[in-house]
Amino acid sequence: MMKREDNELLVRVGPGTAMGNLFRRFWLPVMLASELSEPDGEPVRLRILGEEFVAFRDTDGRIGILDAYCTHRRAHLIWGRNENYGLRCAYHGWKFDVDGNCVDLPNAPDGDRIKGNMKTRAYPVLQRGGLIWGYFGPAELQPEPPAAELFEVGDSHRHISKIVVEGNYLQFAEGDIDSSHVSFLHSSLDKSALPGSRVSAFAFQDTSPRWTVKPTDYGLMLAAQRDGGPEHYHWRVNQWLFPFATMVASPEDAPFITNVRVPIDDEHTMQFRIWTQIDRPLTAVDRDNAAAGVIFPEMIPGTFTPVANRSNNYLIDREEQRKRTFTGIKAIPIQDLAVTQEQGPGWIADRSLEKLTSSDTAIVAMRKRLLDAAKALQQGIEPPEAGTPRAYRVRPIDTLLPRNAVVEEAMRPLTVRHVA
Ligand code: FES
Ligand SMILES: [Fe+2]
């Protein structure tokens, strides 16, 4: 059972919190690259870890992430004009470039003389893997860019969606690494995979996996063992990338899912759901699967809100639930959302009330890793994972191995790639 104060420490991410400080030691994806596609296009409002920012792409295509509130009298820069190499505040016309310099101060007679002192805070930015990333921590600790393979392949290798929901980030992250729910939440009543989904049949035949959870330089290797016929075990090896992403294995050379969970604040989370094929572009069949509404939910046009959401009971179909599928909810991420969004009042689970079993081994390991890192940082010990981006060059895998295989040896060449 988790102590209530540890739960609090894990779920709070605002400025000055232990977990908030930990997240601020890493590059965080904050938006889709497509949200800022045009030079001098519309600025975008960002809320990350309980703080407000504004993002824009300037005339040369450079991206800026600035504090949201103007240095002059704190107007929100989202209402500003993005023009000619800078974002101009709508209130009195002060203008800031992507580095936060005040480059024009037109409402005061001595504006040209004093504008050099009016800099606003700008944050390091990079674009990688179809995403725009920001770094919000101390400048002297800025890490190397993320190096996981999925962020290096071209757009043709990837389908990506962004979903914004109520709910604390940790609940969703726990769902991502919880292999045992797959046999239930995502199943059909005839013990088969849902049409259009990509989950191995073994996950529905053996519903009580045995865990091998291995701490690694990048986070955790999470191997769930199930019966795979008389000679074999089925292994589903997912990878949890500290502190916010999970790679989920797919069978038969299908693209794999990566769920990245970025806290907007304590009660809201941004999910980037990325379907990646590292070694080849996605096929037309892959694209059709992505569009079918099962692996990726249908979204309300022009928003990051799924059509099926809590306000309409996730469009649960009770007849479908009685006759065909375990939940009666269509899309896999919405099935996840229904059970993880509301694990407690106010969108935050109270883990001191849980009853855990051995099926929760991976979740316990993840919580411990986060908690230990947050407490270490409180003592001044920086998270080593921020300094080893190339350790993140790993893959998830869904495979059969002979029953007598030594798992960690067999896994390593399948899951670890090009680690320098
Ligand atoms: S508040 Fe922005 S220019 Fe005055
Ligand atoms: Fe799930």
Side-chain angles (χ1 to χ4, degrees):
M1 189 174 75
M2 176 170 279
K3 285 188 278 185
R4 195 162 273 166
E5 57 264 34
D6 281 347
N7 193 54
E8 280 294 298
L9 194 145
L10 276 172
V11 300
R12 303 290 168 196
V13 295
T17 61
M19 194 54 62
N21 287 342
L22 184 66
F23 269 98
R24 286 171 173 81
R25 295 303 199 263
F26 293 84
W27 284 100
L28 302 176
V30 295
M31 59 200 303
L32 300 172
S34 57
E35 290 179 71
L36 277 185
S37 54
E38 294 291 313
D40 290 341
E42 278 186 39
V44 173
R45 186 192 283 273
L46 291 180
R47 182 169 166 82
I48 305 291
L49 302 173
E51 293 190 280
E52 309 293 332
F53 308 95
V54 64
F56 67 106
R57 194 184 285 274
D58 78 2
T59 313
D60 272 349
R62 295 180 67 209
I63 302 165
I65 296 180
L66 307 181
D67 277 339
Y69 303 109
C70 180
T71 51
H72 178 217
R73 287 194 18 236
R74 318 296 291 161
H76 203 301
L77 290 172
I78 193 67
W79 312 116
R81 305 173 59 84
N82 184 14
E83 57 188 15
N84 196 19
Y85 301 97
L87 186 60
R88 188 182 292 282
C89 179
Y91 203 176
H92 313 94
W94 293 21
K95 182 174 172 183
F96 302 93
D97 69 10
V98 293
D99 298 315
N101 300 304
C102 181
V103 292
D104 193 18
L105 198 160
N107 75 324
D110 56 350
D112 271 349
R113 188 173 58 78
I114 63 174
K115 67 185 181 190
N117 299 326
M118 301 303 179
K119 194 170 165 114
T120 191
R121 182 152 183 204
Y123 297 82
V125 184
L126 57 84
Q127 182 171 331
R128 184 163 291 218
L131 299 166
I132 292 170
W133 302 66
Y135 172 70
F136 303 93
E140 67 279 12
L141 295 173
Q142 181 182 325
E144 295 291 309
E149 287 175 298
L150 82 151
F151 301 126
E152 294 185 347
V153 297
D155 290 347
S156 60
H157 292 238
R158 161 175 64 238
H159 181 87
I160 184 166
S161 79
K162 172 177 158 182
I163 303 172
V164 172
V165 290
E166 286 116 341
N168 184 259
Y169 79 96
L170 189 57
Q171 286 146 226
F172 304 125
E174 289 169 348
D176 292 336
I177 65 164
D178 171 17
S179 203
S180 99
H181 82 272
V182 174
S183 311
F184 303 93
L185 185 73
H186 303 315
S187 70
S188 298
L189 297 185
D190 65 359
K191 296 282 173 206
S192 65
L194 297 172
S197 78
R198 299 307 304 259
V199 180
S200 167
F202 297 112
F204 303 106
Q205 288 149 15
D206 179 351
T207 60
S208 52
R210 281 74 58 194
W211 281 105
T212 300
V213 177
K214 187 170 166 259
T216 65
D217 292 346
Y218 56 83
L220 296 169
M221 185 197 82
L222 309 155
Q225 180 210 58
R226 291 180 167 90
D227 289 337
E231 312 272 301
H232 294 86
Y233 285 123
H234 171 255
W235 289 92
R236 190 165 189 255
V237 183
N238 294 345
Q239 306 283 6
W240 178 62
L241 309 180
F242 186 97
F244 56 53
T246 303
M247 294 172 158
V248 181
S250 286
E252 299 161 19
D253 196 35
F256 66 87
I257 285 284
T258 304
N259 283 318
V260 186
R261 310 283 186 171
V262 179
I264 294 172
D265 54 31
D266 297 348
E267 297 91 10
H268 297 83
T269 302
M270 185 160 38
Q271 172 186 4
F272 297 101
R273 187 167 169 84
I274 309 167
W275 212 35
T276 313
Q277 187 60 263
I278 301 277
D279 297 321
R280 61 167 170 79
L282 299 189
T283 63
V285 172
D286 294 333
R287 297 272 177 205
D288 287 348
N289 273 328
V294 175
I295 299 172
F296 292 90
E298 190 186 343
M299 306 296 286
I300 298 173
T303 76
F304 297 111
T305 305
V307 170
N309 59 58
R310 182 172 171 273
S311 73
N312 53 28
N313 292 327
Y314 310 98
L315 298 177
I316 188 168
D317 179 339
R318 296 290 187 181
E319 181 69 8
E320 179 83 0
Q321 189 177 32
R322 266 189 293 277
K323 301 227 169 109
R324 281 176 288 278
T325 67
F326 203 78
T327 62
I329 296 171
K330 182 182 177 192
I332 289 173
I334 303 301
Q335 295 162 4
D336 287 318
L337 186 63
V339 294
T340 53
Q341 186 164 30
E342 253 187 304
Q343 288 179 276
W347 309 114
I348 298 180
D350 180 350
R351 292 169 181 76
S352 71
L353 301 175
E354 295 173 333
K355 304 271 188 292
L356 301 180
T357 75
S358 61
S359 66
D360 302 304
T361 302
I363 285 167
V364 171
M366 181 182 81
R367 291 174 184 174
K368 181 171 173 359
R369 181 77 171 252
L370 285 172
L371 208 48
D372 288 351
K375 288 179 174 176
L377 188 56
Q378 284 179 317
Q379 304 302 317
I381 302 166
E382 294 293 326
E385 297 87 351
T388 57
R390 289 191 64 80
Y392 285 65
R393 300 180 81 76
V394 293
R395 297 183 187 187
I397 188 126
D398 180 302
T399 191
L400 286 173
L401 290 176
R403 289 205 166 204
N404 62 0
V406 177
V407 172
E408 286 174 19
E409 279 173 28
M411 291 298 167
R412 191 167 170 76
L414 298 175
T415 58
V416 180
R417 306 280 160 162
H418 322 298
V419 176

